[in-house]
Amino acid sequence: MDMAKGLLRGLAGAAVVSATLLALAGCQDDDGKTGANGAKDSRNPVIAPGKPGERARTLSPEQAARERPDDTPNAADQTYVRGMIEHHRQALTMSALAPDRASAEAVKGLAERIAAAQKPEIGAMERWLARYPAPGGAGGSGSTGGSGGTGGMGGHDHGAMPGMATEQQLKELADARGTDFDRLFLKLMTAHHEGALKMAGQALAGGNNVAVEEMATEVVATQTAEIHRMRALG
């Protein structure tokens, strides 16, 4: 599962749960509660599955609404998504240099896979931001247009984000060729991925939104594997 699919699944999760609960509630029509006048209560109950070893509970619609987990995005979710868009954009900038500069086919292939994975991930995160804009209209997906630099995005200091290459390092990478490029690319991209893991860890620890949790979990899984691959190549 790539992150874009994980995001779509996270955004659709609430709808699937609601549909399931409604279907279960519909099965209770013939056994609905009766009111004081002997007529059946028109409000269908909701069946809430119990924890392992516990029985399911029958809730009123009002109770079910009160007990539904609140995954409203918080500041940690917003910070992660906005920052990771820029983090990914720099990875695309670095990866785009590989076809004309790298000497090892393995490095070229790695750069191609990184770009293929992170482009749709950026799109998924931008759709998340459109659905959950930051309070007061602050932030957003940025205005770097995929440049991957360390500036832009509402004036945030991207150089402070873990793993981000400096402008000087990006220039050195662009100027390098052959084995020198391979060595520097692996060094910078490994650090870049390690920074992404730190950002994902912060989101998992402090965030509240299910979709962001899935995005961060996917980053941990995919980029940990790529770090191992890059260390083996280096």
Side-chain angles (χ1 to χ4, degrees), residues 92-177:
L92 296 186
T93 295
M94 295 165 65
S95 297
L97 299 173
D100 297 330
R101 293 169 174 78
S103 62
E105 290 301 319
V107 172
K108 293 181 181 180
L110 174 66
E112 183 178 359
R113 287 192 295 274
I114 290 172
Q118 296 195 17
K119 283 180 181 178
E121 290 173 359
I122 288 174
M125 289 186 286
E126 288 177 335
R127 289 191 293 274
W128 185 92
L129 282 177
R131 178 167 180 168
Y132 300 110
S141 61
S143 57
T144 59
S147 66
T150 55
M153 199 184 79
H156 287 268
D157 181 9
H158 298 154
M161 284 195 293
M164 290 287 279
T166 65
E167 292 292 347
Q168 180 60 34
Q169 288 173 324
L170 291 176
K171 183 179 184 303
E172 291 174 359
L173 184 65
D175 291 341
R177 296 292 187 280

Side-chain angles (χ1 to χ4, degrees), residues 13 25 55 74 77 111 116 141 196 213 223 230:
R55 298 178 59 185
N74 61 16
D77 295 316
S141 61
E213 179 182 350
Q223 297 205 20
M230 287 188 287

